[in-house]
Amino acid sequence: MCSMCLMIPCHPRCPNASEPAVVRICSRCAGGITEGEEYLDSDEGPICEECLSDMTANEYLEYVGERLATAQKEG
């Protein structure tokens, strides 16, 4: 039992807790995606949630091979 958090294993916020295991590498920032974190599993590789939140809508669309259409008057 941990002497600080009194748990087995340590609570994740305990200073004695071990670092979570890196299970994926983000294809955009090359940072580690740890066990339990959410990510986008894209054709280009995994993208961490932080990189996704930093992308603009146009960057995201370009990344997935799409683009916005431009409206034009018909007729």
Side-chain angles (χ1 to χ4, degrees):
M1 179 184 308
C2 176
S3 63
M4 293 186 84
C5 69
L6 305 175
M7 297 181 75
I8 300 172
C10 285
H11 187 278
R13 291 187 179 176
C14 177
N16 291 333
S18 58
E19 291 292 318
V22 172
V23 293
R24 302 276 186 278
I25 301 295
C26 177
S27 61
R28 191 165 164 101
C29 72
I33 300 171
T34 59
E35 188 173 7
E37 285 186 309
E38 293 183 318
Y39 67 97
L40 173 66
D41 192 13
S42 74
D43 291 339
E44 301 294 321
I47 304 172
C48 70
E49 204 169 11
E50 186 174 340
C51 284
L52 281 173
S53 66
D54 288 344
M55 290 175 145
T56 65
N58 284 335
E59 286 175 322
Y60 177 77
L61 289 171
E62 183 180 320
Y63 194 82
V64 296
E66 297 290 336
R67 64 186 179 110
L68 293 174
T70 301
Q72 297 193 12
K73 185 176 179 180
E74 293 184 26

